[in-house]
Amino acid sequence: EVQLVESGGVVVQPGGSLRLSCAASGFTFDDYTMHWVRQAPGKGLQWVSLITRDGGSAFYADSVKGRFTISRDNSVNSLYLQMSSLRTEDTALYYCAKERGKVIDYWGQGTLVTVSS
Amino acid sequence: EIVMTQSPATLSVSPGERATLSCRASQSVSTNLAWYQQKPGQAPRLLIYGASTRATGIPARFSGSGSGTEFTLTISSLQSEDFAVYYCQQYKNWPPVRAFGQGTKVEIK
């Protein structure tokens, strides 16, 4: 059974930094591209970033480009999102998600990031 | 950047009735289109990919159609568990930047 468990969400001040983690199990992690998707409270889904299976390529939404960095460690089946220069508009539930054939097919339950002074 | 637009924002339907949700892309995405269902407090669930292929375990009352820029998700006979928010998402090959629609809430009439 595919499991994606996010962690690291906390309350952080504007301008601060944070690292989210996602522990994956139930599938061969290094066979799949992985994503981060976020959802602000009461709002819709917003794609954030993806990283290819070997970590060689990463892509970002314009809203986070230059501030967020996605990475992965295939030796421990983990995905990360380093977030810096955080803004109040980054407040959201952050989902880790797995891709198969370019389609996001599994999602974690999310970790909540609140940016507030 | 491809922009996905869903309509209507809210759809009020009685149980047993048919629901038709629309999704439009700002440029052609061929059939690189997925639909997701999200219930309150839950993560999204994949319903449809390739514009019309149901994901594993998805009931036959869910169907998708369309190609290019116009797509439709149809729920043939709404069950109580189908009241949720539905999102479309394009996954065109390049650039691999993904975009979701803003969602359609299907509520009980």
Side-chain angles (χ1 to χ4, degrees):
Chain A
E1 179 193 2
V2 172
Q3 288 201 330
L4 299 167
V5 180
E6 303 92 337
S7 61
V10 292
V11 178
V12 61
Q13 291 190 337
S17 298
L18 193 59
R19 188 199 201 201
L20 305 183
S21 300
C22 171
S25 61
F27 63 101
T28 304
F29 184 68
D30 57 10
D31 276 351
Y32 296 96
T33 291
M34 297 294 294
H35 298 252
W36 287 100
V37 178
R38 68 184 181 183
Q39 187 168 35
K43 303 297 185 183
L45 301 171
Q46 182 188 22
W47 179 81
V48 173
S49 182
L50 74 81
I51 186 167
T52 54
R53 52 187 183 171
D54 64 354
S57 296
F59 298 88
Y60 301 90
D62 286 346
S63 58
V64 307
K65 201 175 294 182
R67 300 188 299 124
F68 290 11
T69 302
I70 191 172
S71 62
R72 65 192 294 162
D73 186 341
N74 289 343
S75 68
V76 293
N77 293 345
S78 293
L79 177 72
Y80 306 103
L81 186 67
Q82 180 69 46
M83 310 162 69
S84 61
S85 302
L86 282 161
R87 307 166 180 167
T88 55
E89 56 264 37
D90 295 318
T91 293
L93 187 64
Y94 283 75
Y95 291 104
C96 164
K98 167 188 167 291
E99 173 186 301
R100 183 176 69 92
K102 302 195 183 301
V103 179
I104 292 177
D105 62 346
Y106 283 98
W107 304 65
Q109 289 303 306
T111 187
L112 183 62
V113 174
T114 303
V115 184
S116 174
S117 55
Chain B
E1 178 188 341
I2 299 175
V3 176
M4 308 302 292
T5 303
Q6 292 185 241
S7 61
T10 304
L11 187 61
S12 298
V13 186
S14 299
E17 288 189 341
R18 182 187 195 90
T20 303
L21 289 66
S22 295
C23 174
R24 174 177 291 177
S26 60
Q27 61 182 268
S28 177
V29 298
S30 185
T31 56
N32 297 308
L33 192 285
W35 290 94
Y36 298 89
Q37 176 194 66
Q38 188 179 34
K39 297 179 182 179
Q42 295 186 17
R45 177 176 71 146
L46 175 65
L47 295 177
I48 301 282
Y49 63 94
S52 61
T53 302
R54 279 189 302 277
T56 303
I58 302 304
R61 63 180 181 273
F62 291 92
S63 63
S65 63
S67 66
T69 61
E70 301 284 343
F71 301 90
T72 300
L73 175 69
T74 302
I75 311 171
S76 60
S77 176
L78 270 156
Q79 306 297 302
S80 57
E81 62 267 29
D82 301 334
F83 292 97
V85 180
Y86 293 83
Y87 296 93
C88 63
Q89 187 208 24
Q90 66 83 17
Y91 51 94
K92 192 177 175 184
N93 277 349
W94 193 264
V97 173
R98 311 299 171 84
F100 288 93
Q102 77 277 26
T104 291
K105 181 179 181 181
V106 177
E107 64 177 24
I108 300 174
K109 187 174 182 180

